Amino acid sequence: METDLFKNYHIILASGSPRRQEFMRELGIPFEVRLKPIEELYPDSLSGQSITEYLSELKAEAFSNDLKTNEILITSDTLVWHESKALGKPKNTNEAFEMLYALSGKTHEVITSVTLKSISKSKTFTEITKVTFDDLKPETIRFYIENYKPFDKAGAYGIQEWIGLIGITKIEGSYTNVVGMPMQRVYSELINFIS
């Protein structure tokens, strides 16, 4: 089986995201979750994918002295980029409403950067998916926020939830990227990383 390619490696996922963990389980590659608290701050001069690349590499750097010979670390960072502005995780109901109202009837980008790191090398790659929302009525946005509480999600929404079913008219690029991580790309990059 192809996943036997990884039998000599110990994969570490540095993410508390249940969606990313579920995707990794579905890949069939054994992995361990290992977390380190990182202050996700970046220089104001960065924009778009420069932000996610910087933060993904910052998260990987925190493990620099901890990796063993056969270990491969996976870190990642995702943001919603809309009208030259990064939309992170909303702090409260009002912020979530403002984000979704801004995305309503428009196309935005979901940008994810992933870093693969071993003791000898490191590789960062980025996937960008374009997502278009239908015009969302204020009461639709409020219903979603009240019932699904999307405060742990960049851009205040989960595409796999109710809002994705009723509100998204078009998606260009990787679907799993919008859910949490671009898994087809992660898998192919992992295989390249070990070969």
Side-chain angles (χ1 to χ4, degrees), residues 11 21 38 47 63 81 85 105 111 125 144 149 169:
I11 309 292
Q21 292 173 21
I38 302 293
S47 67
F63 289 84
W81 187 251
K85 191 175 164 202
I111 306 172
F125 54 91
Y144 173 66
K149 303 187 173 24
T169 58

Side-chain angles (χ1 to χ4, degrees), residues 95-137:
E95 210 170 270
F97 182 88
E98 282 168 21
M99 284 184 188
L100 286 167
Y101 194 72
L103 297 176
S104 173
K106 298 187 178 131
T107 300
H108 63 273
E109 292 181 334
V110 176
I111 306 172
T112 302
S113 294
V114 179
T115 302
L116 305 178
K117 186 175 178 64
S118 68
I119 57 168
S120 58
K121 60 181 176 172
S122 180
K123 167 87 190 278
T124 299
F125 54 91
T126 300
E127 198 74 29
I128 299 174
T129 305
K130 291 186 175 178
V131 180
T132 304
F133 265 108
D134 197 2
D135 288 315
L136 301 172
K137 294 187 176 75

Side-chain angles (χ1 to χ4, degrees), residues 44-161:
D44 291 339
S45 57
L46 299 182
S47 67
Q49 78 178 72
S50 308
I51 297 171
T52 54
E53 285 168 0
Y54 179 89
L55 290 175
S56 183
E57 288 168 1
L58 186 72
K59 291 172 185 178
E61 199 53 43
F63 289 84
S64 280
N65 300 322
D66 301 343
L67 294 177
K68 297 185 177 70
T69 306
N70 66 335
E71 292 182 330
I72 299 172
L73 175 74
I74 303 173
T75 60
S76 65
D77 190 77
T78 298
L79 66 75
V80 169
W81 187 251
H82 181 58
E83 294 176 344
S84 303
K85 191 175 164 202
L87 302 184
K89 296 169 187 173
K91 293 183 182 71
N92 51 47
T93 300
N94 286 347
E95 210 170 270
F97 182 88
E98 282 168 21
M99 284 184 188
L100 286 167
Y101 194 72
L103 297 176
S104 173
K106 298 187 178 131
T107 300
H108 63 273
E109 292 181 334
V110 176
I111 306 172
T112 302
S113 294
V114 179
T115 302
L116 305 178
K117 186 175 178 64
S118 68
I119 57 168
S120 58
K121 60 181 176 172
S122 180
K123 167 87 190 278
T124 299
F125 54 91
T126 300
E127 198 74 29
I128 299 174
T129 305
K130 291 186 175 178
V131 180
T132 304
F133 265 108
D134 197 2
D135 288 315
L136 301 172
K137 294 187 176 75
E139 54 268 32
T140 301
I141 296 173
R142 285 193 197 97
F143 173 85
Y144 173 66
I145 295 167
E146 279 166 28
N147 289 279
Y148 292 87
K149 303 187 173 24
F151 306 112
D152 64 333
K153 296 175 177 71
Y157 77 93
I159 194 171
Q160 72 280 18
E161 294 177 341

